[in-house]
């Protein structure tokens, strides 16, 4: 079945360093969504990418969708303590109602 | 708009018992999803409703799980004859849309512990 792989599982950074998480799908996606889940919380929608090669920015966050629509990335510049949490990618394949989720990348700020 | 609500927030039950969870979506949302999430994993799709119609159900879902959405409003998820492996966070999400997938809004979840 369709799978979405997300790496790394964890990333420890010093506050102010950058963070990147990558997603790869086994099949071509119609679109991909990114969510953030704070510790003890529920997933919160960040953004949706639809077009091949699309790049979107939200302040310090940059989201990319690959040309083949099979991979995506999220890059955070100059991390802050408020960025702590787990970042999930989730993709739809064509004609499918089911959102397939990656396992998430946990962003940990080193004390 | 108070967002998606779920009840109860926590449920502890003994193996073999039946449990039922409720989800109240955002009022104008026609789509409703149930997910299961275990520690360190992403949400795992269980089932999807558009209005009152259950359009998709995970093939991984055993027949002990059933969901309803009467009148296209709130939804219930029932687990019969619970097993320890059912212990997880059960998340409900809703969204609005006819064809194009929109963002999903999640409730706080119901944490199930089966002893």
């Amino acid at each position: 079945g369709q799978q979405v792989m997300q790496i790394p599982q964890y990333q420890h950074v010093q506050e102010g360093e950058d963070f990147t998480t990558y997603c790869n799908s086994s099949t071509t996606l119609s679109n991909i969504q990114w969510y953030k889940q704070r510790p003890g919380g529920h997933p919160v929608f960040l953004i949706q990418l639809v077009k091949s090669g699309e790049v979107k920015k939200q302040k310090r966050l940059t989201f990319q969708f690959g040309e083949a629509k099979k991979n995506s990335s999220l890059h955070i510049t100059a991390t802050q303590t408020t960025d702590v949490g787990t970042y999930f990618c989730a993709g739809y394949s064509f004609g499918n109602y089911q959102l397939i989720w990656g396992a998430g990348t946990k962003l940990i700020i080193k004390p | 708009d108070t967002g998606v609500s779920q009840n109860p927030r926590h449920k502890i039950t003994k193996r073999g018992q039946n449990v039922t969870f409720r989800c109240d979506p955002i009022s104008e949302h026609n789509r409703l999803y149930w997910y299961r999430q275990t520690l360190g994993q992403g949400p795992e799709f269980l089932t999807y409703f558009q209005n009152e119609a259950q359009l998709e159900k995970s093939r991984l879902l055993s027949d002990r799980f059933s969901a309803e959405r009467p009148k296209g409003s709130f939804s219930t998820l029932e687990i019969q004859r619970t097993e320890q492996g059912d212990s997880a966070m059960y998340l409900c999400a809703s969204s609005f849309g006819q064809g194009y997938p929109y963002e999903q809004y999640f409730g706080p979840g119901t944490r199930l512990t089966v002893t």
Side-chain angles (χ1 to χ4, degrees):
Chain A
Q2 181 190 359
Q3 287 188 321
V4 173
M5 307 300 293
Q6 192 172 353
I7 57 169
Q9 188 177 4
Y10 301 94
Q11 191 166 359
H12 295 77
V13 299
Q14 297 278 4
E15 189 174 1
E17 291 182 338
D18 292 356
F19 163 86
T20 305
T21 172
Y22 301 91
C23 271
N24 282 288
S25 170
S26 57
T27 59
T28 302
L29 300 171
S30 62
N31 65 352
I32 194 161
Q33 299 179 351
W34 285 90
Y35 291 79
K36 177 184 178 181
Q37 187 171 23
R38 292 181 185 274
H42 55 272
V44 174
F45 175 82
L46 294 176
I47 208 160
Q48 177 167 268
L49 304 173
V50 178
K51 298 177 184 176
S52 170
E54 189 169 16
V55 178
K56 286 189 176 180
K57 293 190 177 184
Q58 289 180 348
K59 297 182 180 178
R60 295 178 294 104
L61 278 62
T62 301
F63 303 85
Q64 294 188 333
F65 201 10
E67 293 290 340
K69 300 184 76 172
K70 294 182 75 172
N71 57 76
S72 183
S73 65
L74 158 60
H75 181 81
I76 303 177
T77 304
T79 54
Q80 300 175 358
T81 55
T82 54
D83 296 327
V84 163
T86 301
Y87 292 84
F88 292 98
C89 63
Y92 283 101
S93 39
F94 293 94
N96 198 326
Y97 298 115
Q98 194 177 132
L99 196 58
I100 305 299
W101 293 68
T105 296
K106 190 172 185 178
L107 170 58
I108 300 163
I109 303 283
K110 297 177 190 176
Chain B
D1 179 3
T2 57
V4 179
S5 61
Q6 291 186 247
N7 288 288
R9 295 292 304 276
H10 302 273
K11 179 71 177 177
I12 300 173
T13 191
K14 292 185 177 179
R15 189 178 54 180
Q17 297 293 306
N18 299 342
V19 294
T20 300
F21 309 141
R22 177 179 170 124
C23 171
D24 287 89
I26 293 171
S27 57
E28 64 268 25
H29 285 184
N30 59 338
R31 296 179 171 182
L32 187 146
Y33 307 81
W34 284 100
Y35 293 92
R36 178 171 60 190
Q37 187 177 28
T38 53
L39 200 62
Q41 298 297 317
E44 176 192 11
F45 172 82
L46 295 179
T47 192
Y48 159 68
F49 289 86
Q50 183 157 310
N51 300 311
E52 67 276 7
Q54 187 174 21
L55 295 187
E56 196 160 341
K57 186 175 175 180
S58 170
R59 285 171 290 179
L60 300 175
L61 208 60
S62 81
D63 56 9
R64 296 185 298 107
F65 288 71
S66 62
E68 294 183 340
R69 193 184 181 196
K71 302 179 183 177
S73 55
F74 72 93
S75 177
T76 57
L77 176 69
E78 181 182 16
I79 309 175
Q80 296 182 328
R81 306 180 304 281
T82 52
E83 301 172 357
Q84 287 190 322
D86 296 331
S87 294
M89 178 71 84
Y90 289 83
L91 294 166
C92 173
S94 70
S95 71
F96 177 78
Q98 292 301 325
Y100 195 80
Y102 289 82
E103 63 265 29
Q104 297 184 16
Y105 294 82
F106 282 80
T110 295
R111 182 167 295 283
L112 173 65
T113 303
V114 182
T115 61

